[in-house]
Amino acid sequence: MKKAIQLLGMFSIILFVSCSGSDGVNGANGLDGLDGEDGINAQVFEVDGVNFDYEANNNWFATRLTFNDFTNFEILESDAILVYRFDGEVDLSDGPANNWSLIPQNFFVNQGTIQYTFAHNFVDMDLFIDGNFDMTTLSDDFTQNQFFRIVILPGDFLSSKLDKSNMAAVLNAINVEEESIARISMK
């Protein structure tokens, strides 16, 4: 008897699940929402031939880059700026690749330690080379003809778990192709 009730229960479940009928009358269309922005509102550009000037009062090297000189992109106070310094090329099996280092960046030289740093607002950016020794003895290799890549990101974008030290990951996240990056020369 118990098996007959189980069998009857299975058949009734199959019968009711298998049934199909009208889905009912379609409802009225709703109002369209506001269109969102297409992609991430970000910009990337390169500045080559950057020269730093020694500032004796602070014993550091500094230079100022004004954004309007390089882009017509509107930069907001809430935007985040990432700065990468070019560290040369490496040969890979599929050809040469550029090495970029996220600033701040430290170097250990014979005289002591130096660090590239920067400060910015929505108008311009100051780049600095600071050190723990008499900076007048620093080689021109660090202060003249430097090459930087600047990435401007919406402030809320940085809340994501993006590896900002990985240039390829940053470019991929903001859908920027390497070939499309504008290069401005200060030479």
Side-chain angles (χ1 to χ4, degrees):
M1 179 76 166
K2 192 175 188 183
K3 284 193 178 200
I5 293 176
Q6 285 178 343
L7 197 55
L8 182 61
M10 297 262 296
F11 282 124
S12 42
I13 289 174
I14 291 172
L15 179 68
F16 288 115
V17 171
S18 302
C19 292
S20 66
S22 172
D23 289 338
V25 179
N26 289 335
N29 287 334
L31 298 174
D32 285 340
L34 297 175
D35 290 336
E37 291 185 25
D38 292 335
I40 298 164
N41 200 12
Q43 171 131 21
V44 181
F45 60 91
E46 297 175 347
V47 183
D48 194 10
V50 176
N51 294 323
F52 289 80
D53 297 314
Y54 179 70
E55 294 183 3
N57 292 345
N58 298 313
N59 187 40
W60 65 25
F61 285 87
T63 192
R64 175 166 287 162
L65 302 177
T66 303
F67 295 124
N68 285 343
D69 292 343
F70 306 105
T71 183
N72 58 3
F73 185 77
E74 181 184 7
I75 300 167
L76 305 174
E77 288 186 57
S78 61
D79 286 346
I81 309 293
L82 302 176
V83 180
Y84 298 84
R85 182 178 171 273
F86 180 69
D87 278 337
E89 283 188 346
V90 293
D91 290 322
L92 301 175
S93 60
D94 58 346
N98 291 339
N99 271 345
W100 295 97
S101 295
L102 181 63
I103 290 180
Q105 180 186 24
N106 295 323
F107 286 94
F108 302 99
V109 295
N110 289 337
Q111 304 95 313
T113 305
I114 64 167
Q115 183 178 48
Y116 285 88
T117 61
F118 74 101
H120 72 86
N121 55 43
F122 64 97
V123 175
D124 57 31
M125 171 177 59
D126 292 318
L127 290 162
F128 304 100
I129 308 172
D130 199 2
N132 61 358
F133 58 91
D134 178 6
M135 294 292 285
T136 60
T137 63
L138 184 63
S139 167
D140 286 350
D141 293 341
F142 292 100
T143 64
Q144 303 303 300
N145 199 30
Q146 298 298 299
F147 185 20
F148 295 95
R149 181 174 280 178
I150 292 108
V151 179
I152 304 166
L153 297 171
D156 57 349
F157 184 75
L158 284 185
S159 64
S160 68
K161 295 186 188 270
L162 175 66
D163 179 5
K164 293 171 280 302
S165 66
N166 182 338
M167 174 64 68
V170 171
L171 294 179
N172 186 48
I174 59 176
N175 297 319
V176 171
E177 297 292 325
E178 187 84 31
E179 301 77 33
S180 69
I181 298 173
R183 183 184 231 178
I184 298 102
S185 179
M186 296 183 66
K187 295 178 186 180

